[in-house]
């Protein structure tokens, strides 16, 4: 099985960069829907509710609005030019190689750390079911299985994600429907029978901890939205990239409204926000218990494990495709830009998973020092990615209008004013994190790592390394050859 450089191909089943166009439209649809449902939604919402009360709905709405705007910008660029590098490749062209290099490697770093987090979370659940197998062994098994899935073919990744994301979607959809039936007193025997929406205000009001708690809630929930952009990376390996991106971009509003706002609304209407069971059992388990669902904890464990496996699968896929794109542009080892005969970027997958295994090892060896540093230093990357997407779109719109105006099938609303407003909102959130005791270390370490990667990018540019320098040399050589040929002919 020999690897070969990714080159353009006339094969209709082959993407222009050498990757196999093996993702069907149903795969892309489910990746888009499931991408906004991470394990963080299930396990991270309890803390936000405890801090902000029912007002956490406003926190989710604010972050959801940011994601809608950012996805609209990214959708505009991706529909015009689908590529596995997505926002990193666009930043490379619109802002400069330093931007594409920096945000590409930061994004890759974020996802290889996520691999360790999700593998450990999944292993903890599996060990609870089968305690004879140690947790570290379960983490290894999960990583190996999903690595094999990604190495097999892009269609195997798509099929895996289709079914696991489907389980998440069905589970959340059922939770919302059953929960609302209980809220309106339709389900007999529910602890909330006949209460309606009273719990939104009967324990200190809608904002029991004041307006400032909304911003605290924003900081607690913002990271659970990371993953919505995965569909734009996957679109490059789909049958109809432009259609897939357009559909995903247009549907992001209802996806966030139903899966995030809808499910959290159910939780805070079924239970008082200060009910101790929300923190003790988890918000979703506590809500299921109040409805009278038997074995609610185990039901939620199955759903969380599904979300974890889905996130792991997509995380490895995303990290490898970003590494592949960086390799193509000369910003990563050249081997990362090679694909095998099945159109799979095998070196990029293996390179990413090696760092994923290393991060898992750090998690078991030094959970409170080395791994905590990795976790904190990648924590604010989502905000950096969104910020770069905004600045990139400001310039890419003009480039697309000048070169391929017919490809502007998705347009950012109220351009450029809403783009600048989004930049202001994201910048405010990052700045607010510096003044929040719980997030100061995270944002400080993330900025430190970002500055380090940016410094490497600037040094590379100064030394003339990477794709841009190579293209310049190739262009100069070609011009010299043409000049010599012209002289010879004359």
């Amino acid at each position: 099985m020999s690897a070969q450089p990714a080159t353009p191909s006339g094969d209709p089943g082959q993407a222009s960069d050498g990757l196999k166009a093996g993702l069907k439209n149903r795969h892309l649809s489910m990746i888009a829907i499931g991408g906004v449902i991470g394990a963080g939604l299930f396990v991270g919402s309890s803390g936000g509710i405890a801090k902000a009360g029912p007002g956490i709905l406003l926190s989710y709405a604010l972050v959801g609005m940011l994601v809608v705007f950012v996805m609209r910008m990214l959708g505009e660029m991706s529909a015009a030019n689908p590529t596995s590098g997505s926002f990193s490749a666009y930043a490379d062209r619109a802002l400069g190689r330093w931007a594409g290099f920096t945000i590409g490697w930061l994004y890759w770093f974020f996802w290889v750390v996520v691999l360790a987090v999700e593998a450990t979370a999944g292993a903890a659940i599996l060990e609870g079911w089968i305690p004879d197998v140690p947790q570290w062994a379960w983490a290894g098994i999960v990583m190996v299985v999903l690595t094999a899935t990604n190495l097999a073919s892009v269609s195997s990744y798509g099929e895996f994600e289709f079914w696991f994301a489907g389980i998440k979607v069905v589970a959340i959809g059922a939770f919302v429907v059953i929960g609302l039936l209980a809220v309106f007193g339709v389900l007999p025997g529910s602890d909330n029978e006949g209460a309606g929406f009273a719990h939104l205000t009967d324990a200190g009001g809608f904002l029991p901890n004041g307006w400032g708690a909304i911003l605290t809630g924003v900081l607690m929930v913002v990271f659970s939205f990371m993953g919505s952009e995965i569909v734009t990376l996957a679109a490059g390996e789909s049958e109809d990239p432009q259609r897939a991106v357009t559909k995903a971009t247009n549907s992001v509003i209802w996806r966030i409204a139903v899966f995030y706002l809808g499910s959290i609304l159910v939780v805070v209407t079924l239970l008082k926000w200060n009910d101790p069971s929300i923190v003790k059992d988890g918000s979703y388990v506590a809500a299921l218990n109040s409805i009278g669902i038997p074995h609610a904890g185990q039901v939620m464990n199955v759903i969380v494990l599904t979300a974890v496996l889905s996130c792991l699968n997509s995380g490895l896929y995303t990290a490898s495709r970003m590494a592949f794109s960086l390799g193509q542009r000369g910003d990563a080892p050249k081997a990362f830009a090679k694909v095998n005969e099945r159109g799979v970027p095998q070196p990029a997958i293996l390179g990413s998973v090696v760092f994923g295994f290393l991060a898992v090892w750090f998690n078991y060896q030094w959970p409170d020092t080395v791994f905590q540093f990795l976790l904190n230093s990648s924590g604010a990357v989502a905000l950096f990615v969104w910020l770069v997407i905004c600045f990139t779109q400001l310039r890419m719109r003009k480039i697309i209008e000048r070169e391929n105006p017919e490809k502007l099938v998705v347009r950012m609303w109220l351009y450029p004013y809403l783009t600048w407003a989004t930049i202001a909102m994201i910048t405010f959130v990052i700045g607010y994190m510096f003044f929040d005791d719980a997030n100061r270390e995270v944002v400080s370490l993330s900025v430190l790592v970002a500055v380090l990667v940016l410094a490497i990018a600037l040094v590379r540019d100064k030394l003339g390394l990477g794709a841009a320098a190579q293209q310049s040399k190739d262009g100069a050589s070609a011009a010299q050859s043409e000049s010599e040929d012209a002289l010879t002919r004359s």
Side-chain angles (χ1 to χ4, degrees):
M1 179 162 46
S2 59
Q4 56 191 11
T7 54
S9 169
D11 183 354
Q14 197 83 0
S16 61
D17 55 10
L19 297 172
K20 187 75 173 177
L23 293 176
K24 296 179 171 58
N25 288 329
R26 65 181 178 88
H27 293 154
L28 263 292
S29 296
M30 197 55 74
I31 289 169
I33 295 171
V36 296
I37 309 173
L41 174 63
F42 299 108
V43 299
S45 55
S46 303
I49 293 171
K51 286 284 186 182
I56 193 68
L57 286 166
L58 296 181
S59 302
Y60 274 103
L62 283 171
V63 180
M65 183 174 64
L66 274 182
V67 173
V68 168
F69 293 159
V70 170
M71 278 299 294
R72 189 75 187 181
M73 292 179 235
L74 186 54
E76 176 182 289
M77 297 183 286
S78 298
N81 181 28
T83 175
S84 59
S86 189
F87 50 83
S88 173
Y90 308 140
D92 196 303
R93 183 174 185 197
L95 304 178
R97 282 193 56 251
W98 62 269
F101 178 97
T102 303
I103 207 61
W105 276 114
L106 285 176
Y107 191 69
W108 177 88
F109 173 58
F110 171 85
W111 280 111
V112 293
V113 173
V114 165
L115 291 181
V117 174
E118 301 294 346
T120 305
I125 295 173
L126 290 166
E127 186 189 31
W129 293 342
I130 308 176
D132 290 340
V133 179
Q135 193 178 115
W136 64 265
W138 276 123
I141 291 169
V142 166
M143 290 280 282
V144 168
V145 169
L146 294 178
T147 300
T149 300
N150 276 266
L151 285 173
S153 67
V154 69
S155 60
S156 65
Y157 154 73
E159 201 63 32
F160 184 102
E161 193 58 22
F162 176 81
W163 291 105
F164 274 73
I167 293 172
K168 290 191 295 185
V169 170
V170 170
I172 288 287
F175 177 82
V176 171
V177 171
I178 294 172
L180 288 176
L181 289 176
V183 167
F184 290 109
V186 176
L187 291 183
S190 167
D191 294 347
N192 195 78
E193 190 172 350
F197 294 95
H199 289 332
L200 292 177
T201 55
D202 64 1
F206 186 71
L207 293 170
N209 296 323
W211 287 94
I214 296 174
L215 284 175
T216 302
V218 164
L219 301 185
M220 297 184 76
V221 307
V222 67
F223 308 113
S224 65
F225 281 84
M226 192 68 163
S228 54
E229 71 292 328
I230 291 174
V231 67
T232 64
L233 283 87
E237 294 176 81
S238 69
E239 298 169 335
D240 189 351
Q242 190 176 80
R243 178 176 176 273
V245 169
T246 303
K247 186 176 179 182
T249 303
N250 291 334
S251 66
V252 71
I253 298 175
W254 72 259
R255 286 186 276 132
I256 289 174
V258 172
F259 299 128
Y260 277 86
L261 292 177
S263 63
I264 296 299
L265 175 65
V266 165
V267 172
V268 294
T269 49
L270 283 175
L271 297 164
K272 293 183 179 181
W273 70 272
N274 55 0
D275 189 315
S277 65
I278 291 179
V279 174
K280 178 175 172 286
D281 301 326
S283 54
Y284 287 80
V285 172
L288 290 174
N289 282 331
S290 75
I291 297 172
I293 300 294
H295 310 294
Q298 287 305 317
V299 170
M300 191 50 60
N301 272 341
V302 171
I303 296 170
V304 171
L305 179 62
T306 302
V308 162
L309 294 177
S310 172
C311 190
L312 255 174
N313 190 42
S314 289
L316 180 52
Y317 171 85
T318 305
S320 65
R321 268 35 177 202
M322 186 57 74
F324 170 80
S325 177
L326 288 166
Q328 276 195 315
R329 289 177 271 142
D331 291 334
K334 289 182 181 178
F336 282 4
K338 294 181 179 179
V339 297
N340 60 24
E341 65 272 12
R342 296 189 303 278
V344 174
Q346 185 173 297
I349 291 174
L350 293 176
S352 299
V353 84
V354 163
F355 281 92
F357 271 114
L358 192 61
V360 170
W361 183 69
F362 285 150
N363 195 9
Y364 286 106
Q365 200 71 18
W366 301 290
D368 299 322
T369 52
V370 177
F371 186 72
Q372 192 61 42
F373 171 80
L374 293 177
L375 200 60
N376 288 343
S377 59
S378 65
V381 165
L383 294 168
F384 299 161
V385 167
W386 296 348
L387 202 56
V388 168
I389 288 172
C390 294
F391 281 112
T392 301
Q393 188 264 342
L394 284 173
R395 291 198 175 183
M396 278 300 293
R397 165 66 79 89
K398 295 175 182 176
I399 294 173
I400 297 169
E401 285 178 334
R402 184 175 66 247
E403 298 180 358
N404 304 103
E406 73 283 356
K407 290 188 176 182
L408 269 175
V409 294
V410 176
R411 290 175 179 265
M412 176 59 183
W413 306 297
L414 299 176
Y415 169 84
Y417 308 108
L418 198 49
T419 301
W420 280 111
T422 307
I423 289 171
M425 285 190 285
I426 296 171
T427 304
F428 175 78
V429 172
I430 293 173
Y432 188 79
M433 289 178 74
F434 279 107
F435 296 96
D436 184 77
D437 293 339
N439 288 280
R440 187 177 297 113
E441 183 181 5
V442 170
V443 71
S444 299
L445 288 176
S446 295
V447 168
L448 178 65
V449 170
V451 169
L452 178 63
V453 177
L454 174 60
I456 294 171
L458 294 175
V459 169
R460 282 172 56 84
D461 268 359
K462 186 132 180 104
L463 295 177
L465 302 174
Q470 188 59 48
Q471 288 170 1
S472 176
K473 290 176 184 175
D474 292 344
S477 299
Q480 185 177 354
S481 297
E482 288 178 10
S483 176
E484 289 172 354
D485 289 343
L487 287 171
T488 303
R489 286 195 298 272
S490 63

